[in-house]
Amino acid sequence: MTAPAFEMRGIVKRFPGVTANDRADLTLEAGEIHALLGENGAGKSTLMQILYGLHRMDAGEIRVDGSAVRIRNTADAIRLGIGMVHQEFLLVSRFTVAENVALGLKPVLREGKGPWLGLAGVAERVRALSERYGMAVDPGARIENLPVGVQQRVEILKLLYRDARLLILDEPTAVLTPGEREQLFAALRRLRAEGHTVVIVTHKLSEIIALADRVTILRDGRTLTTVAAKDVSERELARMMVGREVDLEVKRTTTERGAAQGEPLLEARNLRVGNAIRGISLKVHAGEILGIAGVDGNGQQELAEALMGLRAAQSGEIWLRTGVSEASTAVRNLRGRSVAELRAAGAAYIPADRRGIGSVTEMTVSENASLIAPARRRFFRSRTAEEAAARGLIERFGIRVSGLGQQAGKLSGGNLQKLILGREMTVGAKVLIVEQPTRGLDAGAVESIWRELLRARAEGKAILLISAELEELLNLADRIAVIYEGRIVRELQGAGEGHEIAALRTEIGLSMAGAKKGGTQAEKANG
Amino acid sequence: MGELLQRLKPRWLEKRLEPADSPAAVAASVVLAVAAALAVTVVLFLAYGANPLAAFYELFHEPFGTLRGFGYTLAGAAPLSLIALGAIVCWRAGFEYLGFEGCFVLGAAASAWLALAAAPGGWLAGLPFPFFLALAIFASAAAGGIWAAATALLRVRSGGNEVLISLMANYVAIFFVQYLVSWPMRAPGSLPETAQMPRATWLPFLWHGGRAHAGILLAVAATLAVWALLKKTRLGFEMLVMGANLRAARYAGIPAGRRMVAAALIGGGLGGVAGMTELLGAQHRLMDGISGGVGFLGLIVALLARLNPLAVLPTAILYAGMSVGADAIERRTTVPTSITLILESLIVLFVLAAELLRRYRVRLPFSREATEAKEAKR
């Protein structure tokens, strides 16, 4: 029996106040795709960062091909054939693909002699690698002109160029269209066939089942178990990861559609925002979730911000059935009004950027609970009122905090999101604009966010749910509109009785990639 | 480069994920910084052939050990702390204003104009002092506040850079006051300055024969007011949100533009009142160069106080005291005053650099955690 290609044993890593890894183990064989699964804070990222030399472990051992090694920095890791693709790509957007690959190369690997870069030689090898692994990339193309899926290929090629045998991919599919995802999976399978080891760090259980050979589950910094992916179901994985039963198929509380829905509470008519939104009309009714599907950067954020008064719309109308209370039902065109006015008229917004927009990370939990003007007193602050508001949210939404005075930025993503969601849902708004509510959250948090959204729907709120996750929309939305380059290109009924979910998924997936209505072929993500 | 640093870094030094920010850690880093500054100064004292102990005695004895010196210290601390408080209001609201020199001289000019009007025969003659003081506070605050608000409006309306605009605006205000004391308000005589303010308009001295004036009491009141504003009012909360995260503030529905102008009015107003205390408390005459750079020294005090209003007064008193001590040192030893300037600058540099210390943890080979780690390895 030969030694495993890469082995981490008894890894301990402590940070002030937290033990990120507590004797975690991980064994990686050559020629496998290995998924690393765990809730946020389970220690996945830390473990991978130790392997890639970004952190030093406090105790434990790393073996490569059976012999113990020391990884003090990323240069050591690269020398040992370990490479990592971060969630945020580290590419220079003004440089070409070849220039990016050449960046930071050791002189030995550089093609040129002496001071010369030898870019032509680099380009040649990039071309050869991309053909070998089926990852089409033009070495002369500038990064800024490439779609996200191709940029990711460049990151992978960078590693392969440095002779990486182990590729660590952190949440690789978060930014991809369904089509791009399939291409990525095909490339990873090709890598596996060539004897490479691939580690994917992910929350998405379906991808693990589809792609991985083995799964290692981390919980509380420890390795719970490693299982063969073909032997487990999504439900079992979720249970092992969270430590309890998780219901991933959240059923809508009211199954009737159409009749149950009330009058339209939010309506946009031919809205235009710069180049980002090119004439969007939509209606969201009381008790309805309208899903907006699309790959990031097709105008979703601009749409949400325009509807909330955070971004100026050049033309079009925004109609809101105004008034937080039942009594006031005036309908007003609110384009060009301030955020405060839109909020007063009954709109609330859960932005995608939880830490940059939705909260003030250096302020406390209770201050963040009272961030929104309607939740606060008129002139003097009241600490008791703020804390009561925070306590109410914590209790109702099951937010885990160490105390009301804890810095909001120190909450986990899921708890912070619950805090924001709870705050926006309890100020009495009738219209919720929700943008990427579960991005980066683990299964347990996703479940509770979904439940809350459905509860708000049952309470008769009108919800505009913007998401890049098809599963989320298929699970929650009554109707799904697909946004592409600032326009709604398709509008479909959500998955319900008599609807083939698979067919719907394909259709939406194609529209997200910009295929025309009824088109049968996915446009290649990259020309 | 990174690799080099990695190699140079001793093993017992470990980077913290987040800087230690407990009050004890902050205090320790400040004490270390001041000690380092004093240590460097010792070398300089020696270079001038002075006995360091004697020199330090002179430096601190005069401003803090003598009533006369302490009076000067308090007189210096009043405008310093008012400006620092103004800077705190502006900066914590996310308005990076640097125009306090301008606010200061305009506030001084406005109160000079009022005080001269209160001279016998003027239109304010005979006004009881409390009313006059209220009027002077209002006028100087209005002058400084409106001056700062103009910069805020330029930023809010047209996206101007407040750092550049406020720095340049300082010159405009200073030249304007230069003009005032050279022509319209000039007293007969060779120097470009106004006549002495009528005695009735002077801020009362705290004790007979001392230079400490009521300005320091205004600074105490302003400290409490700024603290309450930031901690207890909705307006202050909204300003803090803006300063911490402007996008979150806009998202929350806070009218950021209006709040920024409000912060400028309050902060600049405090700068204007600082000018008033200097004029009616210490100089009693408006002249060119009345600020003596206090508009910038106040910013240093604000930084050293880490933008905490409650830390401003002690910091300002220490800082003003060192200036008083500097004069004493020059009178009594062979050491030039500039050494005190060097010491002051070193303190600022080291205190700011000491922030870095709080990002690391010392982990000695025989400490508990290291032992545990070794055992786990076995």
Side-chain angles (χ1 to χ4, degrees):
Chain A
M1 193 177 142
T2 55
F6 299 90
E7 195 177 11
M8 300 179 83
R9 279 215 300 243
I11 305 295
V12 177
K13 176 69 190 175
R14 290 192 200 89
F15 293 115
V18 222
T19 302
N21 289 135
D22 185 9
R23 281 163 237 172
D25 302 314
L26 180 66
T27 306
L28 304 169
E29 302 289 351
E32 76 162 339
I33 298 179
H34 197 112
L36 196 57
L37 181 67
E39 285 191 284
N40 282 327
K44 301 174 304 234
S45 305
T46 311
L47 193 64
M48 288 303 99
Q49 283 164 358
I50 288 172
L51 189 55
Y52 189 52
L54 292 170
H55 287 306
R56 276 196 214 177
M57 57 196 172
D58 294 323
E61 187 179 39
I62 299 176
R63 288 174 174 271
V64 176
D65 295 327
S67 48
V69 293
R70 272 181 71 187
I71 301 177
R72 284 160 306 179
N73 48 41
T74 51
D76 285 351
I78 290 166
R79 210 171 301 126
L80 291 164
I82 300 168
M84 184 160 175
V85 177
H86 298 265
Q87 218 170 335
E88 304 281 321
F89 300 152
L90 305 171
L91 297 169
V92 183
S93 61
R94 304 291 305 261
F95 279 17
T96 66
V97 171
E99 283 165 343
N100 267 285
V101 172
L103 203 66
L105 274 185
K106 291 263 174 252
V108 192
L109 278 171
R110 218 186 280 148
E111 303 290 324
K113 294 267 182 288
W116 307 110
L117 276 173
L119 275 178
V122 173
E124 196 50 48
R125 231 191 114 194
V126 168
R127 207 185 308 278
L129 282 170
S130 72
E131 272 166 27
R132 182 164 156 207
Y133 295 104
M135 291 187 281
V137 165
D138 171 10
R142 273 216 230 165
I143 295 296
E144 59 192 353
N145 299 329
L146 296 177
V148 180
V150 182
Q151 294 186 19
Q152 189 178 48
R153 276 179 228 161
V154 176
E155 285 281 17
I156 295 174
L157 286 169
K158 249 165 78 182
L159 302 182
L160 294 174
Y161 195 99
R162 288 155 174 77
D163 297 323
R165 294 192 294 141
L166 168 62
L167 291 97
I168 305 165
L169 289 91
D170 191 6
E171 293 283 351
T173 58
V175 288
L176 302 183
T177 65
E180 288 174 325
R181 192 178 63 192
E182 284 315 312
Q183 291 182 11
L184 171 70
F185 284 5
L188 295 182
R189 291 191 183 106
R190 195 98 155 235
L191 284 166
R192 169 173 66 186
E194 296 268 347
H196 288 275
T197 307
V198 177
V199 173
I200 54 172
V201 180
T202 184
H203 297 302
K204 292 181 196 162
L205 307 170
S206 59
E207 290 176 1
I208 294 177
I209 303 285
L211 184 66
D213 301 306
R214 294 195 300 158
V215 195
T216 292
I217 296 144
L218 291 184
R219 203 200 292 164
D220 300 330
R222 274 170 228 200
T223 302
L224 193 70
T225 180
T226 299
V227 292
K230 64 177 185 335
D231 297 338
V232 287
S233 67
E234 285 185 37
R235 181 176 289 271
E236 284 170 315
L237 283 177
R239 189 172 43 73
M240 285 191 273
M241 173 169 92
V242 181
R244 61 177 167 84
E245 280 300 328
V246 176
D247 193 359
L248 288 170
E249 298 281 311
V250 185
K251 277 283 153 273
R252 290 188 202 81
T253 40
T254 46
T255 40
E256 323 92 274
R257 188 164 295 110
Q261 284 151 21
E263 50 198 344
L265 296 187
L266 168 69
E267 190 176 351
R269 290 184 198 151
N270 205 18
L271 201 62
R272 285 175 185 276
V273 181
N275 268 332
I277 300 290
R278 305 171 183 181
I280 281 187
S281 301
L282 51 83
K283 253 186 208 178
V284 196
H285 302 81
E288 179 191 44
I289 297 182
L290 171 63
I292 302 281
V295 178
D296 274 3
N298 276 295
Q300 292 97 319
Q301 193 188 352
E302 289 84 354
L303 176 63
E305 290 183 353
L307 289 176
M308 206 56 209
L310 275 163
R311 190 181 280 265
Q314 278 74 43
S315 67
E317 294 166 12
I318 297 168
W319 291 84
L320 213 57
R321 190 159 288 270
T322 61
V324 171
S325 70
E326 291 300 318
S328 47
T329 49
V331 183
R332 284 203 289 152
N333 180 7
L334 289 164
R335 181 172 74 84
R337 296 312 180 89
S338 71
V339 185
E341 281 171 295
L342 276 143
R343 281 188 175 278
Y349 174 33
I350 292 125
D353 188 352
R354 296 190 269 272
R355 289 171 201 275
I357 300 176
S359 65
V360 184
T361 48
E362 48 276 70
M363 287 189 164
T364 66
V365 168
S366 63
E367 284 172 327
N368 271 283
S370 304
L371 191 65
I372 304 302
R376 271 181 284 122
R377 296 272 191 91
R378 191 144 190 82
F379 188 76
F380 283 108
R381 286 172 71 184
S382 156
R383 212 181 157 133
T384 28
E386 282 174 16
E387 288 182 348
R391 251 191 296 271
L393 292 183
I394 288 168
E395 198 172 311
R396 201 194 124 180
F397 294 90
I399 307 167
R400 270 184 282 173
V401 298
S402 67
L404 296 175
Q406 187 182 9
Q407 264 190 19
K410 289 184 178 160
L411 294 179
S412 72
N415 282 311
L416 183 61
Q417 182 71 333
K418 282 189 222 168
L419 179 66
I420 296 169
L421 187 82
R423 182 188 66 208
E424 298 295 310
M425 277 172 53
T426 51
V427 286
K430 282 184 181 170
V431 173
L432 289 180
I433 298 161
V434 186
E435 193 187 350
Q436 316 289 3
T438 57
R439 171 163 293 168
L441 303 188
D442 57 63
V446 169
E447 182 200 19
S448 59
I449 300 282
W450 284 1
R451 267 186 211 294
E452 290 302 337
L453 288 175
L454 287 175
R455 185 146 83 168
R457 172 179 176 272
E459 285 168 5
K461 293 189 197 297
I463 301 174
L464 184 72
L465 173 62
I466 298 171
S467 179
E469 294 298 330
L470 263 188
E471 297 307 316
E472 182 161 84
L473 295 171
L474 290 170
N475 257 324
L476 298 178
D478 298 293
R479 288 182 296 136
I480 299 176
V482 183
I483 191 171
Y484 181 73
E485 294 189 339
R487 290 191 186 88
I488 303 282
V489 290
R490 293 283 277 128
E491 199 185 311
L492 307 115
Q493 286 299 313
E497 294 76 11
H499 237 287
E500 292 261 0
I501 290 196
L504 189 61
R505 188 175 287 146
T506 323
E507 201 169 347
I508 296 174
L510 291 179
S511 332
M512 279 165 70
K516 290 285 168 295
K517 187 175 176 177
T520 48
Q521 242 188 332
E523 286 179 341
K524 278 263 148 53
N526 174 35
Chain B
M1 188 65 190
E3 222 173 309
L4 188 71
L5 276 177
Q6 195 79 29
R7 259 179 224 159
L8 284 176
K9 203 186 80 181
R11 282 198 65 89
W12 46 267
L13 208 55
E14 186 182 60
K15 190 158 188 184
R16 290 172 187 265
L17 274 188
E18 280 163 23
D21 47 9
S22 69
V26 172
S29 70
V30 170
V31 168
L32 272 176
V34 174
L38 292 178
V40 175
T41 317
V42 163
V43 176
L44 294 176
F45 282 147
L46 289 174
Y48 275 96
N51 175 356
L53 278 181
F56 279 128
Y57 175 80
E58 295 297 342
L59 182 57
F60 292 103
H61 174 71
E62 168 103 10
F64 300 108
T66 68
L67 192 62
R68 187 182 157 279
F70 193 58
Y72 277 107
T73 300
L74 289 185
L80 265 186
S81 40
L82 284 165
I83 282 169
L85 290 167
I88 287 172
V89 172
C90 289
W91 294 352
R92 291 198 70 178
F95 179 55
E96 309 277 339
Y97 190 64
L98 299 178
F100 289 96
E101 284 279 301
C103 297
F104 182 92
V105 295
L106 291 178
S111 41
W113 173 68
L114 273 185
L116 290 175
W123 55 276
L124 274 178
L127 189 69
F129 182 74
F131 292 103
F132 170 79
L133 182 63
L135 205 57
I137 290 175
F138 176 79
S140 58
I146 292 170
W147 186 249
T151 302
L153 273 176
L154 284 174
R155 164 163 173 188
V156 170
R157 290 282 151 109
S158 341
N161 178 321
E162 75 265 33
V163 172
L164 287 177
I165 296 175
S166 61
L167 279 175
M168 294 302 128
N170 280 338
Y171 291 106
V172 177
I174 288 168
F175 285 135
F176 176 65
V177 170
Q178 209 172 61
Y179 159 77
L180 287 182
V181 298
S182 305
W183 284 283
M185 294 173 80
R186 184 173 189 165
S190 54
L191 289 169
E193 57 184 22
T194 62
Q196 197 177 53
M197 300 299 130
R199 275 223 166 235
T201 66
W202 291 12
L203 291 178
F205 293 108
L206 292 188
W207 58 82
H208 188 72
R211 306 303 296 177
H213 56 76
I216 197 74
L217 303 179
L218 280 177
V220 172
T223 301
L224 295 177
V226 166
W227 175 81
L229 169 75
L230 294 180
K231 278 272 176 199
K232 298 287 173 194
T233 70
R234 175 170 173 166
L235 175 68
F237 178 74
E238 295 183 348
M239 286 177 179
L240 292 181
V241 171
M242 283 165 50
N245 186 341
L246 191 56
R247 295 174 76 197
R250 294 188 58 225
Y251 154 78
I254 294 169
R258 258 183 279 165
R259 294 291 178 268
M260 197 159 279
V261 173
L265 276 172
I266 298 171
L270 287 166
V273 174
M276 187 275 283
T277 63
E278 182 69 9
L279 183 92
L280 297 180
Q283 307 287 345
H284 305 128
R285 219 184 256 284
L286 184 65
M287 66 199 90
D288 187 26
I290 187 173
S291 80
V294 73
F296 289 108
L297 287 178
L299 305 185
I300 291 173
V301 169
L303 280 178
L304 287 177
R306 302 172 51 80
L307 303 190
N308 174 358
L310 297 183
V312 160
L313 265 177
T315 315
I317 288 173
L318 182 74
Y319 221 77
M322 284 188 9
S323 312
V324 176
D327 295 336
I329 243 179
E330 197 175 46
R331 278 199 310 273
R332 308 228 177 109
T333 65
T334 51
V335 176
T337 14
S338 48
I339 285 203
T340 326
L341 261 176
I342 294 175
L343 175 60
E344 284 174 358
S345 322
L346 284 175
I347 289 181
V348 174
L349 283 176
F350 283 140
V351 166
L352 296 182
E355 305 264 306
L356 193 69
L357 293 181
R358 294 190 293 117
R359 302 191 147 268
Y360 287 91
R361 163 188 311 112
V362 177
R363 192 187 243 193
L364 297 172
F366 45 80
S367 74
R368 186 176 54 85
E369 284 181 29
T371 327
E372 269 176 26
K374 250 183 222 155
E375 268 162 20
K377 241 177 219 169
R378 248 183 257 143

